[in-house]
């Protein structure tokens, strides 16, 4: 339940997974909120009480939207900014694979002419080290006429939202904060603590920016390694998951990762290339990230090739019925951003296999402007397990054979495809 409103106002720029979580937390902490997004469709959905994401409830969004102090807008010219502004806009890659910080530029320009002396502006969007100091703060200074660090508090605090995670939420996950100055850092730390969030203060904005890239590049490289490890286990007729289970019994020096059909999501496939971009600029080499990228990109094709090989051996190709079980990028969410299922569909289609899909969270799945047919209820020749959703029908009940590249149900002595009685 929302607390009594304070006189302070927080403006949140960008109302996706990150920004909506911040807006709800600020509202619940007693702040008045200006919720800003350039997409009027997002605002309309939120005003209907539909969060559109799994980390925020409909009741929380309804409470935020119906509060008379809340302003939801696509135009900051018509809205109060207040004492704090938090920028949570997307930072994807360009078609050429370079960092795309255009949304950060747009948000900074939208805010710059509307902020007063003493305002705290924090950037939460994942980006290359130096963005806050070299790009974001100068834009704010140019548009506001205020000096960042003295007249304006500027900080970077990387988002740590894990869609669908009910244990590690926005308010229970420590928040890293780096300020342009020690004073900026203190102001930002005080703000996030007022939301009930534990705070870790970084040496500066670059260290805070780099910490986020370290977190996700660590996962990127280790996912690549365990996918490669699983392929070696297949070739040697070894149960990869049992080996991982045994290694995980070590109470120190080992963190388990599990294989899958590739790599997906809103951060891990993208963030390492914000690091390599800046590394290239300063002449540093990142061969491990490049190697990991090559492995991760190869996995969907390897999945499709194993399925094709099986179908040929069974005399079922062409014309086989292949069913994809779970197409979102992680369990129990509807999020399709950069899901590995996209690569699997492309690889299957390149082999003249047109799959169907079943996913209780995803009603429609389109790849390259071509819809993937929903499961028609018939028995498939092969089910490919891409994601394990709670309550989803067992793949063994949907197909004569099951291929599980995630490893969790690989037969002990025969990893990969198996016949189902």
């Amino acid at each position: 339940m929302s607390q009594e409103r304070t006189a302070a106002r927080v403006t949140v720029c960008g109302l996706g997974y990150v920004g909506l979580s911040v807006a709800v937390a600020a509202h619940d902490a007693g702040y008045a909120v200006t919720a800003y997004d350039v997409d009027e469709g997002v605002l309309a959905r939120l005003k209907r009480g539909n969060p559109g994401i799994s980390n925020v409830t409909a009741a929380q969004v309804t409470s935020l939207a119906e509060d008379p102090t809340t302003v939801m807008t696509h135009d900051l010219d018509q809205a109060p900014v207040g004492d704090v502004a938090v920028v949570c806009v997307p930072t994807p890659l360009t078609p050429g694979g370079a960092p795309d910080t255009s949304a950060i530029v747009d948000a900074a320009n939208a805010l710059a002419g509307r902020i007063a002396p003493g305002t705290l502006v924090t950037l939460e969007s994942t980006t290359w080290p130096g963005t806050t100091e070299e790009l974001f703060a100068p834009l704010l200074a140019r548009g506001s006429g205020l000096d960042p660090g003295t007249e304006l508090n500027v900080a970077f605090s990387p988002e740590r939202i894990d869609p669908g995670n009910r244990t590690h939420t926005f308010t229970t996950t420590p928040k890293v904060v780096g300020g342009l100055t020690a004073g900026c850092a203190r102001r930002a730390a005080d703000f996030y603590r007022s939301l009930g969030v534990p705070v870790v203060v970084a040496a500066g904005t670059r260290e805070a920016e780099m910490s986020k890239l370290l977190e996700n590049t660590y996962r990127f490289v280790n996912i690549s390694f365990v996918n490669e490890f699983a392929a070696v286990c297949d070739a040697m007729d070894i149960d990869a998951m049992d080996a991982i289970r045994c290694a995980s019994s070590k109470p120190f020096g080992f963190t388990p990762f599990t294989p899958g059909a590739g790599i997906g999501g809103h951060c891990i496939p993208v963030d390492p290339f914000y690091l390599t971009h800046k590394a290239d600029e300063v002449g540093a080499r990142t061969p491990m990230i490049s190697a990991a990228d090559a492995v991760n990109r190869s996995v969907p094709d390897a999945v499709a090739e194993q399925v094709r090989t099986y179908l040929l051996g069974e005399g079922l190709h062409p014309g086989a019925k292949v069913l994809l079980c779970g197409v979102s990028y992680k369990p129990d969410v509807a999020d399709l951003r950069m899901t590995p299922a996209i690569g699997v569909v492309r690889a299957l289609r390149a082999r003249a296999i047109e799959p169907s899909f079943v996913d209780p969270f995803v009603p429609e799945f389109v790849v390259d402007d071509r819809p993937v047919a929903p499961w028609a209820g018939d028995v498939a020749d092969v089910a490919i397990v891409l994601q394990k959703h709670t309550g989803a029908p067992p793949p063994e009940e949907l197909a004569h054979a099951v291929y599980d590249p995630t490893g969790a149900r690989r037969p002990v002595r025969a990893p990969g495809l198996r016949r189902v009685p």
Side-chain angles (χ1 to χ4, degrees):
M1 181 178 294
S2 299
Q3 299 178 3
E4 183 179 349
R5 299 299 99 192
T6 71
R9 175 172 292 274
V10 174
T11 290
V12 180
C13 301
L15 300 173
Y17 273 93
V18 180
L20 187 57
S21 298
V22 175
V24 165
H27 177 261
D28 290 347
Y31 289 96
V33 174
T34 295
Y36 166 66
D37 199 292
V38 296
D39 189 337
E40 295 184 62
V42 169
L43 297 172
R45 169 171 52 76
L46 295 177
K47 289 175 182 177
R48 294 194 302 270
N50 179 4
I53 64 173
S54 55
N55 290 58
V56 173
T57 67
Q60 287 174 310
V61 170
T62 299
S63 178
L64 173 67
E66 293 183 351
D67 192 301
T69 67
T70 297
V71 177
M72 289 190 171
T73 183
H74 70 281
D75 183 2
L76 283 183
D77 281 336
Q78 308 300 320
V81 170
D83 308 274
V84 179
V86 184
V87 174
C88 309
V89 295
T91 46
L93 299 174
T94 67
D100 181 357
T101 55
S102 58
I104 293 178
V105 172
D106 291 344
N109 288 332
L111 284 170
R114 302 165 181 86
I115 48 180
T119 302
L120 167 66
V121 186
T122 69
L123 176 61
E124 293 206 7
S125 306
T126 304
T127 187
W128 42 268
T131 300
T132 306
E133 182 180 345
E134 300 167 17
L135 176 66
F136 190 60
L139 288 170
L140 294 174
R142 188 176 306 126
S144 68
L146 302 173
D147 180 45
T150 58
E151 299 173 294
L152 194 63
N153 294 285
V154 180
F156 182 81
S157 182
E159 63 89 3
R160 282 175 160 174
I161 300 296
D162 185 16
N165 194 324
R166 299 296 184 185
T167 301
H168 301 296
T169 64
F170 176 80
T171 54
T172 63
T173 303
K175 207 82 169 70
V176 173
V177 170
L180 280 185
T181 65
C184 293
R186 283 193 298 270
R187 176 75 189 281
D190 288 345
F191 165 66
Y192 285 111
R193 289 190 183 108
S194 76
L195 305 185
V197 182
V199 171
V200 177
V201 179
T205 57
R206 291 170 182 264
E207 286 78 11
E209 290 160 340
M210 185 62 94
S211 72
K212 174 65 174 181
L213 299 185
L214 172 61
E215 292 170 17
N216 283 348
T217 303
Y218 167 84
R219 294 172 65 189
F220 182 84
V221 170
N222 278 283
I223 290 169
S224 165
F225 167 68
V226 81
N227 281 330
E228 186 174 76
F229 172 80
V232 172
C233 287
D234 283 351
M236 299 175 68
D237 196 22
I238 293 170
D239 183 350
M241 289 305 296
D242 193 58
I244 293 169
R245 178 185 67 84
C246 292
S248 299
S249 66
K250 186 179 180 181
F252 58 91
F254 181 79
T255 300
F257 286 78
T258 53
I263 196 165
H266 60 299
C267 287
I268 298 177
V270 172
D271 295 354
F273 302 102
Y274 276 74
L275 177 56
T276 59
H277 164 76
K278 199 63 178 180
D280 288 343
E281 279 192 359
V282 300
R285 298 178 62 248
T286 53
M288 186 172 292
I289 297 175
S290 298
D293 182 43
V295 171
N296 286 325
R297 288 181 182 275
S298 72
V299 176
D301 195 70
V303 169
E305 183 58 26
Q306 289 196 50
V307 170
R308 187 187 78 93
T309 299
Y310 166 79
L311 293 172
L312 287 172
E314 295 290 308
L316 296 171
H317 183 59
K321 296 179 180 179
V322 175
L323 178 66
L324 306 181
C325 298
V327 294
S328 63
Y329 90 87
K330 66 177 297 186
D332 298 338
V333 300
D335 201 333
L336 293 170
R337 285 177 293 179
M338 300 188 75
T339 172
I342 294 172
V344 172
V345 170
R346 287 171 175 160
L348 289 170
R349 285 174 171 172
R351 290 163 172 80
I353 300 169
E354 185 61 41
S356 58
F357 84 98
V358 58
D359 190 311
F361 292 87
V362 179
E364 182 181 32
F365 187 38
V366 178
V367 177
D368 299 330
D369 298 324
R370 287 174 56 191
V372 179
W375 179 49
D378 53 347
V379 177
D381 296 305
V382 179
I384 306 176
V385 182
L386 300 181
Q387 206 53 261
K388 297 179 175 70
H389 294 307
T390 302
E396 293 86 353
E397 297 178 3
L398 308 180
H400 296 296
V402 176
Y403 176 48
D404 185 359
T406 69
R409 290 196 298 275
R410 290 185 182 185
V412 172
R413 298 302 301 168
L417 290 165
R418 62 187 177 92
R419 295 294 294 180
V420 177

